[in-house]
Amino acid sequence: MFNVKMASTTNFMKFLPLVCLLARSGQTFGDEQGSGVVRVVVKEGSDAILPCSLSNKQNAEEKLFDWKKDGQKEIFFYDAGIHSNNGRPGQDQQFKGRVSHFQDELKYGNASIIIRNTTVADRGDYTCDFPHVQPRQIFHIQLVVVDLTFKDRSGEIPGASAKPCICTLNQTKDWALLQCEVLGAFPKPTVEWQDSAANKLLAEEPQVSERGGSFYIILQTTVMKTDRYRCVATQEEIKHQIYAETFVFISVKRKDSTVYLSRTTSAKIKPNHFTR
């Protein structure tokens, strides 16, 4: 019978180095919290084992157990040999073909499942429910999927910023006033303007508003040379980064006329961060 490793701490940041080590080796890391919730941490793209075992270790081959995500999504359903992978309908499309149980472990009361090729969208709260066992037993697991690379996650994670809206508010032969809008993002993103060399530009103080738990941000900058300019929105917590570009033509040529935040501290984004 396999065992899921347990850690004594409930502070994710304290065991982040260990998480990274385990993630690189493809292992699952479990942290049993005081509330009875088990936290499982994996690297995106690896497999995650979510533990669930009857307290008395009684045979579960003829029992019913039901795995759900966030209280509603059907992950895996088992009822006396009939389950989501052999004809039982109702499994959420997100998990089709990616979830399986351990048939040989059922006789030990072990109803754990494995989720293959995890994505950040898989993270959340899972329950393993034995509704007909007396007393009823429900197990709670929190899945954390770690991805340390920035990429476009719009459409993958709720709240991830959509592509920024950019426009030219005003322009003369010497300069152009550019505006970038980021709409309805959560968590709060950082927004910045960059030139074609990925130098961060000076900008006005961002205009930030919050409505319905989402953030709306407007950022303006003035440029004074012909170039391609990029507005970048970054959400550190979910490793999401997205941008929009515009080309500006300035008829009067000025030597090194673009205003940079700093030559030594300018922020640069590696090209492979902007995967499409």
Side-chain angles (χ1 to χ4, degrees), residues 9 18 34 38 52 56 60 68 104 151 155 162-163 169 174 194-195 204 207-208 221 232 236 241-242 244 249 269 276:
T9 177
L18 181 56
V38 174
C52 175
N56 56 8
K68 289 185 182 296
D104 293 341
K151 63 181 181 180
K163 187 175 182 179
L169 292 180
D174 302 302
Q194 297 179 357
D195 64 11
E204 301 293 331
Q207 303 170 42
V208 181
T221 189
V232 184
E236 174 73 31
Q241 194 169 75
I242 193 169
F249 176 75
I269 297 177
R276 289 284 178 184

Side-chain angles (χ1 to χ4, degrees), residues 26-273:
Q27 299 180 39
T28 298
F29 184 88
D31 170 30
E32 189 171 24
Q33 305 179 75
S35 62
V37 176
V38 174
R39 179 183 292 161
V40 174
V41 183
V42 296
K43 183 179 179 181
E44 185 175 34
S46 63
D47 300 336
I49 295 175
L50 306 189
C52 175
S53 292
L54 289 169
S55 58
N56 56 8
K57 307 300 181 185
Q58 61 181 296
N59 193 320
E61 291 176 311
E62 299 301 318
K63 298 190 181 301
L64 183 153
F65 60 88
D66 188 13
W67 278 91
K68 289 185 182 296
K69 179 178 184 291
D70 299 326
Q72 53 185 1
K73 284 188 177 182
E74 188 73 68
I75 308 305
F76 187 81
F77 186 93
Y78 179 97
D79 186 4
I82 304 300
H83 54 79
S84 299
N85 290 339
N86 68 3
R88 164 78 187 190
Q91 186 178 42
D92 190 272
Q93 188 64 37
Q94 176 184 342
F95 296 93
K96 285 188 179 298
R98 298 174 53 223
V99 180
S100 57
H101 67 305
F102 300 89
Q103 183 64 40
D104 293 341
E105 295 291 325
L106 291 177
K107 58 180 173 288
Y108 304 112
N110 190 337
S112 302
I113 58 172
I114 183 168
I115 301 177
R116 307 285 185 186
N117 192 25
T118 57
T119 68
V120 173
D122 293 332
R123 67 183 183 177
D125 297 320
Y126 291 74
T127 56
C128 172
D129 183 14
F130 284 88
H132 300 156
V133 171
Q134 297 298 325
R136 183 176 185 174
Q137 294 187 36
I138 302 178
F139 302 86
H140 298 269
I141 298 90
Q142 181 185 63
L143 177 61
V144 178
V145 181
V146 179
D147 183 5
L148 303 181
T149 61
F150 284 98
K151 63 181 181 180
D152 181 0
R153 302 181 187 279
S154 57
E156 176 185 341
I157 300 178
S161 171
K163 187 175 182 179
C165 301
I166 56 179
C167 64
T168 301
L169 292 180
N170 197 5
Q171 184 169 0
T172 70
K173 63 180 181 179
D174 302 302
W175 54 266
L177 176 61
L178 307 180
Q179 177 172 288
C180 172
E181 284 189 88
V182 174
L183 307 174
F186 181 85
K188 182 181 177 181
T190 59
V191 182
E192 63 183 38
W193 278 101
Q194 297 179 357
D195 64 11
S196 60
N199 293 301
K200 182 178 178 179
L201 307 182
L202 278 176
E204 301 293 331
E205 190 70 22
Q207 303 170 42
V208 181
S209 61
E210 183 179 1
R211 299 194 296 274
S214 297
F215 290 90
Y216 297 76
I217 300 175
I218 296 176
L219 186 67
Q220 297 177 356
T221 189
T222 299
V223 297
M224 293 178 285
K225 71 173 184 178
T226 298
D227 201 357
R228 183 170 295 278
Y229 295 95
R230 173 180 294 182
C231 176
V232 184
T234 303
Q235 289 165 285
E236 174 73 31
E237 297 88 341
I238 59 175
K239 301 300 178 184
H240 169 64
Q241 194 169 75
I242 193 169
Y243 69 97
E245 288 184 332
T246 187
F247 180 78
V248 176
F249 176 75
I250 302 296
S251 59
V252 175
K253 293 184 179 181
R254 293 173 178 269
K255 184 178 180 181
D256 196 26
S257 56
T258 303
V259 181
Y260 299 110
L261 178 65
S262 169
R263 278 292 185 186
T264 58
T265 62
S266 61
K268 291 178 181 283
I269 297 177
K270 296 180 180 179
N272 61 8
H273 285 174

